[in-house]
């Protein structure tokens, strides 16, 4: 988000969300409902975990009160991992103490960390003006400094221009871009694209170091399909084209979700549909910096704001691959936009009071996911970056939703045990590769964790996975829950996925509950 709150003019708009979506499994479409929650959880993190997503908060070392670990299971350093703090002009690291404090706090409170952020025009500090080689050095240093202690990293932040132009920004680091053939984009193999080249570098580092860290692109005013007045959200469309084109390097998309009454920052009716279309590309979607201006509900920090929070949380819950929500601070008074009173608590200095918005979010999370995804993800057409290759621009044309041919198939579910868990797999295969989406369902009793084993055919290997911790890459492989999706209520489900090379036809998953 622009760090200047004053640019947002005040207008009012309240959104509605579509009520239903469909689940496609093995060619069969059905509506899935989880029914009423078994027992209401009393913290945001517990309710979110039960629904299969994380609920996080932006934090600084001076604000690590007990509420952080009690209410949230994900943490984003609000400022302490930005280049202005940790980067030298040569891309080396410095002053990592505050970031370490936050990572340690997260780890001891069983919270997932989002690294924020590497390539950004703002708060760049000594990195400002760096060339791609230096950016690449910094990317490598930042990724390897914390390794798997960081689950998600914002590799590129706010690459797109304001005011719904749909264009890239023009200030550094985007001054590195070259549109070699003058066709108006930076997607061609002869073009230079700081987004592509930064993600290629990041993906190489992840693969060379066998990291499970997921690589995200993050932006604001990209939340809805439309902006105020029903105009197409060109910024969201531009982000979609970037993710679709560079899908093989990008694992996750962050919608900052600083909702206010700027015409391009409203909560539109089509928020869920936009989350869904990104999810259908196979990436995880996160709402990464949520605050909701009280003016969106006529200067009301009560029920109106609570209803808006409810709508936003519901839109995420209704898309299975929307796997996390992060609020940008604990309390209104400590927010970067305190005048908007956009968060879930009042108070400060460790003494916080829940707002109506808090109760609404907790209640909505406790309802769980009522709807599952619509279509199988579009799969990347190119193999993962080879650990030994040097960065090369992709030479393949942009992936389109209908290309490559996607042929969903479902292997038989393991028998439904009375308790424990079962797993079924849905495969999208193409020549030389596949994406497997695995659904884990608890039996007649709730479970606290799960582990799914399966044996890949000869020649098949796992190259990437999400929503699970993978062990092994060929032959007998195993996927275990991560911190936010281990707990599943009786009869309810969560999903994880993995991408592989070769063919996975006929794989049969076996689920073990803990
Ligand atoms: C903000 C912080 O909250 C402020 O403390 C700081 O002064 C400016 O940056 N988009 C982002 C975040 O990606 O990094 C910004 O954080 C808010 C907008």
């Amino acid at each position: 988000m622009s760090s200047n709150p004053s640019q947002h003019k005040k207008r009012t708009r309240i959104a509605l969300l579509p009520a239903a979506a469909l689940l496609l499994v093995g060619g069969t479409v059905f509506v899935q409902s989880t029914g009423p929650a078994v027992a209401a959880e009393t913290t945001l993190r517990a309710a979110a975990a039960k629904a299969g997503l994380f609920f996080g908060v932006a934090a600084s070392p001076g604000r690590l009160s007990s509420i952080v670990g009690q209410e949230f299971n994900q943490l984003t350093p609000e400022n302490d991992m930005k280049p202005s703090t940790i980067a030298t002009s040569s891309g080396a690291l410095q002053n990592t103490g505050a970031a370490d404090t936050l990572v340690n706090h997260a780890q001891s409170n069983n919270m997932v960390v989002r690294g924020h952020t590497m390539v950004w025009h703002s708060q760049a500090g000594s990195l400002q003006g760096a060339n791609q080689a230096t950016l690449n050095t910094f990317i490598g240093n930042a990724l390897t400094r914390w390794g798997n202690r960081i689950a998600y990293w914002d590799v590129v932040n706010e690459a797109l221009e304001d005011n719904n132009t749909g264009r890239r920004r023009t200030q550094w680091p985007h001054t590195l871009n070259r549109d070699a053939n003058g066709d108006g984009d930076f997607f061609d193999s002869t073009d230079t694209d700081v987004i592509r080249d930064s993600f290629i570098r990041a993906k190489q580092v992840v693969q060379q170091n066998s990291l499970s860290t997921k690589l995200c692109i993050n932006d604001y005013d990209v939340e809805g399909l439309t902006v105020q007045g029903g105009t197409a959200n060109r910024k969201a469309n531009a982000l979609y084209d970037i993710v679709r084109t560079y899908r093989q390097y990008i694992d996750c998309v962050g919608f900052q979700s600083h909702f206010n009454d700027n015409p391009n920052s409203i909560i539109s009716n089509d928020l869920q549909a936009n989350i869904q279309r990104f999810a259908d590309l196979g990436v995880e979607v996160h709402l990464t910096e949520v605050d909701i201006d009280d003016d969106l509900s006529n200067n009301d920090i009560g029920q109106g704001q609570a209803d808006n929070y409810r709508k936003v949380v519901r839109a995420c819950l209704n898309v299975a691959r929307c796997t996390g929500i992060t609020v940008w601070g604990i309390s209104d008074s400590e927010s970067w936009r305190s005048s908007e009173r956009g968060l879930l608590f009042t108070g400060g200095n460790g003494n916080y009071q829940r707002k109506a918005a808090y109760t609404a979010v907790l209640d909505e999370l406790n309802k769980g996911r009522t709807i599952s995804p619509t279509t199988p993800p579009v799969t990347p057409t190119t193999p993962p970056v080879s650990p030994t290759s040097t960065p090369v621009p992709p030479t393949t044309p942009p992936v389109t939703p209908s290309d490559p041919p996607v042929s969903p198939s479902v292997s038989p579910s393991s028998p439904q045990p009375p308790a424990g868990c079962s797993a079924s797999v849905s495969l999208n295969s193409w020549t030389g590769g596949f994406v497997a989406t695995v659904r884990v369902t608890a039996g007649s009793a709730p479970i606290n964790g799960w582990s799914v084993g399966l044996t890949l055919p000869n020649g098949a290997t796992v190259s990437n996975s999400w929503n699970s911790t993978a062990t092994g890459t060929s032959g007998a492989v195993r996927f275990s829950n991560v911190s936010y999706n281990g707990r599943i209520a009786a009869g309810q489900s969560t999903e994880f996925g993995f991408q592989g090379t070769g063919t996975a036809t006929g794989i049969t998953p076996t689920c073990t509950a803990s």
Side-chain angles (χ1 to χ4, degrees):
M1 189 73 217
S2 160
S3 37
N4 177 8
S6 63
Q7 73 181 25
H8 298 288
K9 302 207 176 72
K10 301 288 177 188
R11 293 203 190 104
T12 300
R13 170 119 170 185
I14 297 177
L16 300 171
L17 289 172
L22 299 174
L23 174 64
L24 176 71
V25 174
T28 309
V29 179
F30 60 96
V31 177
Q32 185 193 340
S33 170
T34 58
V38 178
E41 297 291 344
T42 56
T43 63
L44 299 171
R45 68 178 286 168
K50 207 184 223 177
L53 74 167
F54 61 74
F55 201 95
V57 67
S60 303
R63 298 217 172 111
L64 291 176
S65 61
S66 53
I67 199 171
V68 171
Q70 283 160 10
E71 288 287 351
F72 304 99
N73 57 358
Q74 183 270 332
L75 186 153
T76 305
E78 183 170 355
N79 287 300
D80 296 296
M81 257 181 213
K82 291 173 178 172
S84 51
T85 304
I86 65 167
T88 72
S89 59
S90 61
L93 299 186
Q94 62 176 359
N95 302 330
T96 51
D100 285 338
T101 299
L102 294 171
V103 173
N104 290 339
H105 188 85
Q107 205 163 5
S108 52
N109 286 278
N110 200 17
M111 302 169 83
V112 170
V113 179
R114 178 185 215 88
H116 177 78
T117 178
M118 296 177 181
V119 177
W120 189 23
H121 67 277
S122 183
Q123 293 182 273
S126 307
L127 209 54
Q128 181 83 35
N131 61 22
Q132 187 68 53
T134 303
L135 285 176
N136 287 351
T137 300
F138 175 63
I139 289 167
N141 285 332
L143 270 167
T144 52
R145 174 68 175 72
W146 289 282
N148 286 342
R149 302 177 79 199
I150 294 192
Y152 301 96
W153 250 113
D154 287 326
V155 176
V156 175
N157 194 33
E158 301 185 349
L160 296 162
E161 213 169 50
D162 280 333
N163 301 322
N164 200 23
T165 65
R167 292 195 293 260
R168 304 284 184 88
R169 288 183 184 275
T170 51
Q171 68 266 59
W172 179 89
H174 309 286
T175 45
L176 297 170
N177 292 348
R178 295 280 173 269
D179 179 11
N181 63 4
D183 67 350
D185 66 44
F186 302 100
F187 292 146
D188 305 289
S189 57
T190 49
D191 292 345
T192 302
D193 187 347
V194 69
I195 297 176
R196 177 196 65 210
D197 294 341
S198 299
F199 271 98
I200 286 177
R201 175 60 185 153
K203 197 55 136 185
Q204 279 188 325
V205 174
V206 160
Q207 293 185 348
Q208 282 167 352
N209 294 279
S210 301
L211 299 179
S212 56
T213 308
K214 307 250 172 79
L215 306 173
C216 309
I217 188 165
N218 194 48
D219 217 319
Y220 65 94
D221 288 358
V222 294
E223 290 78 14
L225 288 173
T226 56
V227 298
Q228 193 167 77
T231 308
N233 189 342
R234 288 183 282 270
K235 192 165 174 177
N237 291 347
L239 183 65
Y240 182 80
D241 285 344
I242 289 165
V243 175
R244 187 177 60 178
T245 304
Y246 302 140
R247 171 65 187 94
Q248 66 264 44
Y249 313 119
I250 299 178
D251 306 310
C252 35
V253 175
F255 295 179
Q256 289 188 6
S257 308
H258 294 291
F259 291 112
N260 55 59
D261 43 16
N262 177 286
N264 301 316
S265 312
I266 57 165
I267 303 171
S268 61
N269 294 346
D270 41 38
L271 170 62
Q272 182 184 323
N274 194 38
I275 296 173
Q276 184 71 62
R277 75 166 168 159
F278 279 87
D280 288 344
L281 293 173
V283 291
E284 288 182 52
V285 183
H286 304 132
L287 309 184
T288 51
E289 304 183 12
V290 181
D291 42 38
I292 304 181
D293 184 355
D294 62 340
D295 264 10
L296 270 175
S297 35
N298 293 320
N299 203 23
D300 170 18
I301 60 169
Q303 204 51 50
Q305 187 182 48
D307 289 346
N308 281 326
Y309 259 101
R310 204 180 268 280
K311 288 169 190 164
V312 170
V313 170
R314 176 49 49 198
C316 178
L317 284 169
N318 280 358
V319 179
R321 213 171 270 110
C322 185
T323 52
I325 300 174
T326 307
V327 284
W328 203 243
I330 301 168
S331 79
D332 290 347
S333 68
E334 295 171 352
S335 161
W336 75 308
R337 286 181 164 173
S338 53
S339 65
E340 295 187 355
R341 300 186 294 180
L343 294 172
L344 302 180
F345 295 85
T346 56
N349 291 322
N351 180 13
Y352 301 110
Q353 294 83 46
R354 294 174 172 80
K355 294 167 58 179
Y358 171 94
T359 311
V361 169
L362 181 63
D363 182 56
E364 208 58 38
L365 290 171
N366 267 316
K367 290 180 190 165
R369 294 187 186 273
T370 54
I371 308 286
S372 281
T374 52
T375 51
V378 174
T379 48
T381 53
T382 50
V385 183
S386 154
T388 53
S389 68
T390 52
V392 282
T395 51
T396 50
V399 180
T400 61
S402 57
D403 177 26
V406 171
S407 51
S409 65
V410 176
S411 75
S413 301
S414 48
Q416 283 282 343
C421 58
S422 60
S424 61
V425 62
S426 167
L427 278 183
N428 298 320
S429 302
W430 63 96
T431 308
F434 62 90
V435 165
T437 303
V438 183
R439 172 165 283 256
V440 177
T441 304
S444 58
I447 60 175
N448 292 320
W450 47 263
S451 173
V452 171
L454 54 89
T455 301
L456 290 168
N458 278 347
T461 56
V462 175
S463 50
N464 184 25
S465 65
W466 50 94
N467 289 345
S468 71
T469 302
T471 313
T473 55
S474 61
V477 293
R478 184 155 288 282
F479 302 88
S480 304
N481 67 274
V482 285
S483 63
Y484 55 84
N485 66 4
R487 297 179 61 189
I488 310 177
Q492 303 304 304
S493 301
T494 191
E495 281 186 349
F496 72 90
F498 61 96
Q499 182 186 337
T501 56
T503 175
T505 310
I507 54 173
T508 306
T510 307
C511 190
T512 311
S514 54

